[in-house]
Amino acid sequence: MDEWLKLSWEGMDWVVRKGYEKYIPHNIWGKAKKPERFPECKLLKSNILRTSIIIPLSENRKESIFLKRHHRRHWKDDLKSLFIPSRAFTEWKILLHFNHLHLPAPSPLAYGEKRKHGILKESALITEAIPDVQSLNFYLSSQIDFLRENFINKEMVLSQLAKFIAQFHHQGIYFRDLHGGNILCQKDSGGKLKLLFVDVDKVRFTSRMTSRKRIRDLAMLFNSFPPGMKRDKVQFLKTYLKEAADFHFHWQEFFKKIDRVTKVLKERHLKSRNKRCLKKTTSFEVKKKGKQKHYLRKEVSDYFIEQVLNGVKKAKQKETKDKENEKTGLFRIKISQTDRYGDVCVRYYRYNMMQSFKSLVSFSPGKKAWFNSNGLIVRGVLTPLPLALVEEKGVIGVKESILVIEDLSFFDRLDDFISERFAIPEQKNYFVRKIEFMNILSKNLRQLYKKKICFKNLTAEEILVEEIGKKSYQFYFRNIDRIIFNRRVSADEQIENLIQLHKSIPEAVGWKDRFRFLFRFSRFWPREKRKSLIRKVLVRVGDSPMVSN
């Protein structure tokens, strides 16, 4: 049994495995604080939650250690630390238990804590560093290039993983955070692949491993797999059920249950990622300056925001607006090239008393647009990149909002693109190119609804087209004011979008092209509803080219 020593260094209390007290924390803690100053340190990850580093133990020993340093975020962390053990201590304890059970996980070497009046200020965990490893996600996503070159069979990897997880569940180990990024793969000297489990601070040991816990673990794992692995998942489950002698379930029923939970977890994950734009995270910053509140991307500087606000002030005074109504104005402002952005587009929102009052209990229109644009990016939909949101408070609620987004005015609007490219039938391959273009547009619309994204106003003026080569196109959706996420888009809502789109598409697209577009769009609808969809769109469009031609 290993012996552990208690040490103190620079105000931190350490528990170190005997034999390492000469090196930990004396040789490594200074490097851990500022790893960028030491070329021998390898920074693996650094974000608002933690920093992960590989550090050589000493100059005389070739051995390296892995250090995970947890960061304090806000007062809520202080309150939790009074009642809940630190993550470093929890993971150290779990790794000790894993080693005792001879389970595949790195060996813990030390952990340290710094507390003041019982409040945790800093904590760190040190384990052995595992050389030449990659995450399971890396192996699965690069299987064609990597696995075959290294003679590693994907089926064997997943079979081995299924057996391990079945054994863990049998022993009452509930991971709670099981995904491909927390499973490391290492090829040993004999050419065999070895799996190791890391980041186990959320693991719980239970006397009764219920089906709900098993399903949640496996759903989280499947959610992290690359797309297109349904057959591999089925084989994985068959191996798991065969190995889990104490758990009896038919694989088809088990797969359906896991699939349902997978979808729920995926939606929950997307919601969580979307909300990150409203708080201080790895990618976003939130600042308060007087009556103003700034929501920024990390790379956006204060100088950039100052230039934008000055530009908006001048534009408002000169009334040089591209579009203006009672509530919003659209400005295009050129920022000095000393910053990383050139031209940006600024949406200016000014609110009346009722709108300001509503902002006390819900998002203001400007904040909603910021949230929606980031929601599109999280879901893999192209849109002008949102850079910053500045909101100024009035007597009651928000008085005005300034939304700064990427300027993509160099791309053509959908209606202009169609008029320019498909207005002259004599062009080479005219009909073929037009059919291909409309097919790609149809596919993009279907993808929106598949991702449960509904635009309340979908017109050709609000879609930008980027031409990539001769046969490929990308569409940017810039109408970010009224979007609904995470809800199945009804048939009526899809029809309404199609009507809005077809009314705004110019006459260069004739009725045959439109009919072909609708037919292709409705391919995934039930057969009995396809004619109804096309008929409703034709009737509602009225005197559009679709009918008049």
Side-chain angles (χ1 to χ4, degrees):
M1 188 175 180
D2 294 319
E3 290 186 39
W4 297 85
L5 304 174
K6 290 185 177 181
L7 305 173
S8 183
W9 182 264
E10 294 185 0
M12 283 189 72
D13 296 322
W14 289 86
V15 175
V16 183
R17 177 176 287 183
K18 191 174 181 180
Y20 289 88
E21 66 273 12
K22 293 181 180 179
Y23 313 100
I24 302 173
H26 311 79
N27 288 0
I28 56 93
W29 189 238
K31 297 177 181 178
K33 287 183 176 180
K34 295 183 179 178
E36 63 278 0
R37 292 186 177 181
F38 302 90
E40 65 270 23
C41 296
K42 184 179 180 182
L43 185 64
L44 302 178
K45 187 177 183 179
S46 182
N47 57 35
I48 196 170
L49 292 173
R50 59 182 175 267
T51 300
S52 301
I53 321 161
I54 291 181
I55 306 174
L57 201 57
S58 70
E59 296 179 359
N60 301 326
R61 296 178 63 167
K62 295 182 179 180
E63 186 180 356
S64 295
I65 56 99
F66 170 80
L67 185 142
K68 187 193 295 183
R69 187 181 175 198
H70 297 278
H71 303 305
R72 175 196 175 277
R73 293 174 296 172
H74 40 60
W75 63 269
K76 293 180 183 178
D77 288 344
D78 294 341
L79 189 61
K80 286 180 183 177
S81 68
L82 292 171
F83 307 98
I84 301 172
S86 68
R87 287 191 172 187
F89 171 77
T90 302
E91 189 167 1
W92 172 78
K93 197 174 179 180
I94 292 169
L95 286 174
L96 280 179
H97 195 56
F98 268 44
N99 285 181
H100 178 70
L101 297 174
H102 303 289
L103 299 177
S107 297
L109 302 179
Y111 82 91
E113 291 182 350
K114 183 178 183 180
R115 291 181 180 269
K116 186 176 181 181
H117 306 302
I119 297 174
L120 185 69
K121 297 297 182 183
E122 200 165 14
S123 66
L125 172 74
I126 298 174
T127 69
E128 61 175 342
I130 312 296
D132 304 322
V133 292
Q134 290 289 349
S135 69
L136 179 68
N137 283 346
F138 173 83
Y139 275 76
L140 295 178
S141 60
S142 57
Q143 55 175 305
I144 296 175
D145 301 323
F146 188 85
L147 295 180
R148 290 181 184 175
E149 288 178 10
N150 290 273
F151 305 101
I152 299 170
N153 187 283
K154 180 182 68 173
E155 286 73 22
M156 289 179 64
V157 174
L158 293 176
S159 176
Q160 184 181 348
L161 179 61
K163 290 176 182 178
F164 269 135
I165 294 174
Q167 291 170 11
F168 289 159
H169 284 170
H170 178 68
Q171 294 179 0
I173 298 174
Y174 177 32
F175 283 93
R176 298 173 67 235
D177 190 25
L178 182 65
H179 57 81
N182 287 348
I183 302 170
L184 301 182
C185 304
Q186 181 189 40
K187 197 175 180 184
D188 61 21
S189 55
K192 292 183 179 180
L193 199 69
K194 181 181 177 183
L195 299 177
L196 294 123
F197 294 81
V198 296
D199 289 341
V200 294
D201 56 291
K202 292 186 179 180
V203 166
R204 296 293 179 267
F205 298 95
T206 177
S207 58
R208 184 170 175 265
M209 194 68 186
T210 62
S211 60
R212 186 186 65 82
K213 292 174 182 176
R214 293 173 186 262
I215 288 169
R216 194 181 186 284
D217 263 357
L218 294 174
M220 191 169 285
L221 178 65
F222 284 1
N223 214 14
S224 68
F225 283 179
M229 288 187 60
K230 185 175 180 180
R231 187 176 297 177
D232 297 308
K233 291 176 183 177
V234 169
Q235 191 58 46
F236 178 97
L237 281 185
K238 289 180 178 179
T239 306
Y240 173 89
L241 292 170
K242 186 178 179 181
E243 193 71 22
D246 60 330
F247 183 68
H248 304 287
F249 236 108
H250 191 272
W251 74 265
Q252 288 180 325
E253 186 182 353
F254 198 41
F255 184 83
K256 288 179 182 177
K257 288 180 178 289
I258 291 172
D259 191 49
R260 281 197 293 268
V261 177
T262 300
K263 290 176 181 177
V264 172
L265 291 175
K266 188 174 183 179
E267 285 190 11
R268 191 180 297 169
H269 181 61
L270 287 173
K271 287 180 183 179
S272 175
R273 286 182 62 196
N274 201 169
K275 289 178 182 177
R276 292 176 190 175
C277 67
L278 302 175
K279 53 189 177 182
K280 187 176 180 180
T281 61
T282 306
S283 303
F284 295 93
E285 190 73 54
V286 179
K287 299 177 181 178
K288 287 185 179 181
K289 292 191 175 181
K291 292 184 178 181
Q292 292 182 348
K293 193 169 186 179
H294 298 184
Y295 301 88
L296 318 166
R297 290 192 171 272
K298 281 281 188 183
E299 62 268 22
V300 174
S301 65
D302 291 336
Y303 172 76
F304 176 87
I305 295 298
E306 186 181 341
Q307 293 290 94
V308 167
L309 294 177
N310 289 336
V312 170
K313 188 176 179 180
K314 290 177 183 177
K316 284 164 62 179
Q317 290 172 350
K318 294 180 180 179
E319 295 183 354
T320 55
K321 301 179 183 180
D322 297 330
K323 182 174 70 175
E324 184 177 11
N325 57 38
E326 292 180 357
K327 292 184 289 185
T328 65
L330 184 65
F331 306 89
R332 281 193 178 86
I333 298 171
K334 191 167 185 178
I335 304 301
S336 171
Q337 291 300 320
T338 55
D339 225 290
R340 64 179 293 178
Y341 303 106
D343 289 355
V344 295
C345 189
V346 177
R347 289 172 177 254
Y348 174 72
Y349 300 80
R350 187 168 183 85
Y351 311 119
N352 56 34
M353 185 66 73
M354 182 57 70
Q355 291 168 332
S356 296
F357 185 75
K358 285 181 180 178
S359 70
L360 293 172
V361 293
S362 61
F363 287 174
S364 66
K367 194 173 184 179
K368 185 67 176 174
W370 166 258
F371 183 81
N372 288 343
S373 55
N374 282 290
L376 291 176
I377 291 172
V378 162
R379 290 163 178 82
V381 177
L382 294 175
T383 189
L385 181 69
L387 303 174
L389 171 70
V390 178
E391 289 203 316
E392 184 173 338
K393 285 189 176 182
V395 179
I396 300 175
V398 179
K399 182 174 72 174
E400 63 180 24
S401 302
I402 298 171
L403 177 63
V404 187
I405 59 176
E406 184 182 16
D407 183 22
L408 297 182
S409 57
F410 45 85
F411 291 145
D412 291 326
R413 294 187 338 190
L414 178 60
D415 52 344
D416 294 336
F417 184 88
I418 290 173
S419 297
E420 290 174 10
R421 303 300 170 92
F422 304 125
I424 306 174
E426 289 77 17
Q427 290 179 348
K428 187 178 180 182
N429 297 326
Y430 165 80
F431 293 106
V432 175
R433 289 191 298 107
K434 185 162 62 169
I435 290 170
E436 288 176 347
F437 177 81
M438 296 303 288
N439 287 345
I440 295 172
L441 178 60
S442 172
K443 183 179 178 181
N444 272 262
L445 282 182
R446 287 202 310 271
Q447 286 297 319
L448 283 179
Y449 302 137
K450 188 177 179 181
K451 294 175 179 179
K452 297 184 178 181
I453 301 172
C454 178
F455 287 86
K456 287 299 181 181
N457 184 27
L458 189 66
T459 60
E461 292 86 354
E462 298 297 338
I463 301 175
L464 301 176
V465 183
E466 180 187 11
E467 189 171 9
I468 304 173
K470 294 182 178 180
K471 295 184 178 181
S472 184
Y473 308 91
Q474 289 190 148
F475 299 93
Y476 292 79
F477 299 86
R478 61 176 184 173
N479 185 12
I480 54 177
D481 291 311
R482 298 175 65 201
I483 305 175
I484 297 175
F485 296 113
N486 305 317
R487 178 175 62 75
R488 182 178 170 273
V489 184
S490 68
D492 289 338
E493 287 172 328
Q494 293 184 39
I495 290 171
E496 189 63 36
N497 277 171
L498 290 170
I499 292 166
Q500 293 166 350
L501 186 62
H502 279 275
K503 281 186 174 181
S504 60
I505 286 179
E507 295 184 11
V509 177
W511 71 270
K512 288 184 180 179
D513 300 310
R514 296 167 185 262
F515 185 87
R516 192 182 293 113
F517 171 89
L518 290 172
F519 182 79
R520 190 172 184 84
F521 176 86
S522 64
R523 281 173 58 192
F524 295 93
W525 277 47
R527 186 179 294 274
E528 64 275 7
K529 292 185 178 181
R530 294 177 190 174
K531 288 184 180 180
S532 174
L533 178 144
I534 296 173
R535 189 182 298 113
K536 284 182 179 179
V537 175
L538 287 170
V539 170
R540 288 281 302 280
V541 168
D543 61 350
S544 73
M546 189 189 304
V547 176
S548 60
N549 286 356

